[in-house]
Amino acid sequence: MRHGEVWRGIDQLAEKNGLSASGLARLAGLDPTSFNPSKRQSKDGRPRWPSTESIARALEAVGAGMDDFAALIEGRRGATAPLIGLAQAGADGFFDDSGFPVGGSWDEVRFPGLGDEAVYALEISGNSMEPAYREGDRIIVAPGAQLRKGDRVVAKTVEGEVMAKVLGRQTERQVELISLNPEHPPRTFKPSEILWLARILWVSQ
């Protein structure tokens, strides 16, 4: 990571968020000149590096992470995943028959360490999934991941119901889904009643 690349990353971070370098500094609560070109070299021509704290504050101010900053420096696209609300997920047109996102009505959310795995995010609404997931939490779902008993999953039924459960017994005759909220009993479905199951990888609280 070179001196010029780090400063270019700051410039691109500002531009991506519709800001000048000084505007980004102000938004981060820094001296407005902190990221100006005049601050990037000393009077004798030696390179000056931005402090870790100033970079961290700038990233926090625009809701970005170090992965996003590294992507800007390296010329990579930031790590993002499609995002919709859980209530929307029950509607038609958002998923294919395997539970992969389709259509153009998805927002995007940053998510570190995506790698090559196809994932998407669902934003929890209501309290039916407490205490594991609360309203406003975002769960990262991998529809192509292998499923095992005990995995936390999102299930969608042919009736359009979408729920987060723990996968219980899965046979040719039935699929058992155990509620995350202990006040709700387990539910069983015929395999033909389940449109798709997808494993939950991660939750952002």
Side-chain angles (χ1 to χ4, degrees):
M1 193 175 295
R2 298 171 182 167
H3 173 263
E5 292 172 338
V6 172
W7 282 112
R8 185 166 61 251
I10 289 174
D11 289 338
Q12 291 176 350
L13 182 68
E15 182 180 352
K16 184 177 179 181
N17 289 278
L19 300 166
S20 63
S22 59
L24 177 62
R26 279 194 297 270
L27 186 64
L30 302 168
D31 184 298
T33 65
S34 297
F35 298 146
N36 284 4
S38 61
K39 298 286 187 175
R40 303 180 186 190
Q41 286 187 329
S42 63
K43 291 182 179 180
D44 59 7
R46 287 182 298 174
R48 280 182 178 172
W49 294 75
S51 70
T52 304
E53 181 185 2
S54 64
I55 293 174
R57 288 174 66 174
L59 291 171
E60 183 180 5
V62 297
M66 285 303 298
D67 279 4
D68 301 300
F69 188 60
L72 291 173
I73 291 172
E74 297 169 12
R76 293 185 287 109
R77 183 176 180 271
T80 60
L83 166 71
I84 61 169
L86 194 69
Q88 291 175 281
D92 292 334
F94 285 101
F95 302 95
D96 65 17
D97 291 342
S98 300
F100 285 91
V102 295
S105 300
W106 295 74
D107 291 327
E108 286 193 335
V109 61
R110 292 184 179 88
F111 173 62
L114 282 174
D116 296 326
E117 191 162 20
V119 301
Y120 58 86
L122 295 175
E123 186 168 37
I124 301 297
S125 57
N127 60 6
S128 63
M129 298 177 186
E130 293 183 356
Y133 306 127
R134 293 176 168 82
E135 185 162 9
D137 288 353
R138 291 172 174 178
I139 54 176
I140 302 297
V141 179
Q146 186 174 1
L147 298 177
R148 294 175 295 185
K149 183 179 179 180
D151 283 343
R152 290 184 176 184
V153 299
V154 171
K156 183 171 183 178
T157 70
V158 294
E159 299 295 326
E161 183 180 4
V162 178
M163 65 196 95
K165 300 286 184 181
V166 175
L167 182 62
R169 293 186 62 200
Q170 188 175 17
T171 69
E172 292 183 0
R173 294 188 176 183
Q174 73 173 29
V175 177
E176 181 186 37
L177 298 175
I178 301 168
S179 296
L180 297 173
N181 188 332
E183 295 181 1
H184 296 275
R187 297 176 64 180
T188 58
F189 297 86
K190 296 177 182 178
S192 61
E193 295 174 321
I194 299 293
L195 194 59
W196 49 258
L197 292 166
R199 185 154 63 93
I200 298 171
L201 296 184
W202 182 78
V203 58
S204 172
Q205 298 176 318

